[in-house]
Amino acid sequence: MNEAVLSLCCSLGVLMVVSLGYSCIKPNGGQCIKIHLVYFASAICLVAFLPTNIAKYVFTELTVSLVGAMYPVYRATRAVCTPDDDDDKEWLQYWMLGGVLFMITTWVDDVIKQNSVDTIWLGSLLFIFYWLYFPLTCGALVVYEKVTAPYLGPKLKPLQRQMNNFIIYLQQMLSNAFHLYLVWIIFMFLPAGLKRIVAIAIGTVYPTICSITAVATEEIEDDTYWLTYWSVYGCLFLIMDVSEDFLGRIPGFYTLIIFTTIYLMLPMFRGADKIFRKVLVPLAGLHELLVLRDAITIKKQMLKDLDPERAAVVQKSIAKFFDGSTSDSDPSVLKEELMQGWGKIKLPNFKIPFGKAEGGSSDEPTEKTNLV
């Protein structure tokens, strides 16, 4: 059998085991220390003692990419589409550490040259990625509760504000065509390895800091925003990782990666949300779930922005429109009902000083005052 086909089969087999483990095992919050010890002991034994002729097919870059990026992208996409908010935070916690691991792999890949060492490194990385979301270890949750929330979160909030101001400054500076051209010229003369590090740093450092501060808050909107970004950026990272061996030396390749990353990241573009809805959701077959989540989000926002009486009227009109079985579902009829309901709202009785109210009464002062 061809070695490439055998390696592909092994990678898909590992992905199947990972998927079944995550889907069938009930999470325990990662509170049992013995499970962590057994997990890492088993991982060390497999990485160290698995025969080389087997390890070279199992511990590959493809396996690491499938377990560390592709499967988490699918689970994160599903988390964004589901109405439940807890899974958003769960997978955002994973991607916070995943971004750090992406940066580490970029540096280590340039250092390691021997195949035997590379196999050990890829095997270790594989088990670390899986440890982060394996239901019996929940490594990402453990790191968040023990390190991120008590220590990193409070310290990174001021840093995030400073970086926000810096990014605004960069936007203003790069809007000047000369500045943009100058930065591009400097970047083009960098070595390919350094270009790769810069491209991944732009896509991971700032989003990781923002993700840490987002998870620390009770609001779910910022969690969803950055989880959507990580879902799309994970795909971009995989595309870059696969194609850079062929296209990495072509001028402009990493520049295109950087501009794409900025388009995905910045709120002014909301590129991640657009690609997420138009590409990832249809590919994952989760369009119906996303529509349900959007409907629930609209309802929450409506209840937040409107008073209870008006919210009930709007909710009733929306229900009639989606029902579509009666003449009352016509948009013009629904608009008329809303306008009639608006006329029934009791507005506060404001007194207009020095003006005439209804009925001819006046609020003008009765005492005469002589001004000299």
Side-chain angles (χ1 to χ4, degrees):
M1 182 182 294
N2 193 322
E3 290 189 359
V5 176
L6 182 59
S7 179
L8 176 61
C9 293
C10 291
S11 298
L12 294 177
V14 173
L15 178 62
M16 184 178 299
V17 172
V18 167
S19 177
L20 289 175
Y22 182 83
S23 303
C24 299
I25 300 176
K26 184 178 180 180
N28 66 351
Q31 300 301 320
C32 183
I33 298 179
K34 292 182 179 179
I35 295 179
H36 292 276
L37 295 176
V38 171
Y39 180 90
F40 282 111
S42 303
I44 292 173
C45 291
L46 286 173
V47 172
F49 301 111
L50 191 68
T52 305
N53 57 350
I54 299 177
K56 68 178 182 180
Y57 296 115
V58 176
F59 302 144
T60 62
E61 291 185 0
L62 177 60
T63 305
V64 174
S65 298
L66 291 176
V67 175
M70 183 59 70
Y71 186 70
V73 164
Y74 170 74
R75 299 305 309 193
T77 303
R78 188 176 183 85
V80 173
C81 294
T82 55
D84 189 13
D85 295 337
D86 293 336
D87 51 0
D88 288 27
K89 288 187 177 293
E90 173 190 350
W91 282 102
L92 187 57
Q93 291 163 4
Y94 169 83
W95 282 107
M96 290 187 307
L97 299 173
V100 176
L101 288 176
F102 288 158
M103 281 296 300
I104 295 175
T105 55
T106 301
W107 178 77
V108 174
D109 288 343
D110 293 336
V111 173
I112 295 177
K113 301 299 182 181
Q114 299 180 2
N115 291 333
S116 59
V117 179
D118 189 45
T119 301
I120 295 175
W121 163 246
L122 291 174
S124 303
L125 196 61
L126 173 65
F127 283 104
I128 292 174
F129 272 123
Y130 191 44
W131 173 76
L132 292 177
Y133 61 86
F134 181 48
L136 295 182
T137 56
C138 298
L141 176 61
V142 173
V143 173
Y144 173 76
E145 292 179 345
K146 303 298 183 182
V147 179
T148 306
Y151 301 109
L152 294 181
K155 293 182 180 180
L156 289 180
K157 285 184 178 179
L159 179 60
Q160 182 193 4
R161 288 194 292 268
Q162 295 177 5
M163 293 188 72
N164 288 339
N165 296 332
F166 179 70
I167 288 176
I168 294 174
Y169 171 76
L170 284 180
Q171 291 176 3
Q172 295 173 349
M173 185 186 72
L174 294 179
S175 62
N176 187 311
F178 174 76
H179 289 157
L180 184 61
Y181 179 75
L182 182 62
V183 172
W184 181 76
I185 289 295
I186 296 173
F187 181 77
M188 290 297 294
F189 283 98
L190 295 178
L194 189 56
K195 290 180 181 178
R196 186 176 194 271
I197 293 176
V198 172
I200 296 178
I202 291 175
T204 56
V205 174
Y206 177 69
T208 298
I209 295 174
C210 292
S211 299
I212 292 174
T213 56
V215 173
T217 62
E218 295 295 332
E219 297 180 358
I220 197 63
E221 288 79 8
D222 49 0
D223 296 353
T224 303
Y225 178 85
W226 286 110
L227 185 58
T228 302
Y229 165 80
W230 283 114
S231 300
V232 181
Y233 179 76
C235 296
L236 178 64
F237 180 85
L238 287 174
I239 294 173
M240 181 187 70
D241 195 41
V242 171
S243 61
E244 65 183 349
D245 291 338
F246 310 100
L247 305 176
R249 298 188 181 276
I250 298 178
F253 174 77
Y254 289 105
T255 304
L256 178 62
I257 295 294
I258 289 176
F259 279 117
T260 305
T261 302
I262 294 174
Y263 171 74
L264 298 177
M265 182 194 312
L266 295 183
M268 62 183 295
F269 300 119
R270 297 193 69 86
D273 185 69
K274 295 175 183 177
I275 296 178
F276 180 84
R277 291 175 176 273
K278 295 182 180 298
V279 179
L280 289 188
V281 172
L283 286 176
L286 299 172
H287 187 70
E288 291 81 2
L289 274 178
L290 183 61
V291 171
L292 177 61
R293 167 127 185 185
D294 288 342
I296 294 175
T297 302
I298 292 174
K299 180 180 178 180
K300 290 181 179 179
Q301 191 66 36
M302 180 182 64
L303 295 176
K304 178 181 178 181
D305 295 341
L306 302 178
D307 62 85
E309 183 179 351
R310 289 300 299 168
V313 174
V314 175
Q315 187 173 354
K316 184 179 179 181
S317 299
I318 293 175
K320 287 182 178 180
F321 177 77
F322 279 103
D323 180 40
S325 58
T326 62
S327 59
D328 293 339
S329 61
D330 183 73
S332 59
V333 177
L334 295 176
K335 179 181 178 181
E336 186 67 24
E337 289 183 359
L338 285 176
M339 297 305 296
Q340 291 177 357
W342 176 260
K344 297 178 182 179
I345 297 179
K346 295 182 179 180
L347 298 175
N349 186 17
F350 296 105
K351 290 185 177 181
I352 305 176
F354 307 109
K356 291 185 178 182
E358 295 182 1
S361 61
S362 175
D363 289 332
E364 295 180 359
T366 55
E367 296 182 359
K368 294 182 179 180
T369 305
N370 294 324
L371 299 177
V372 180

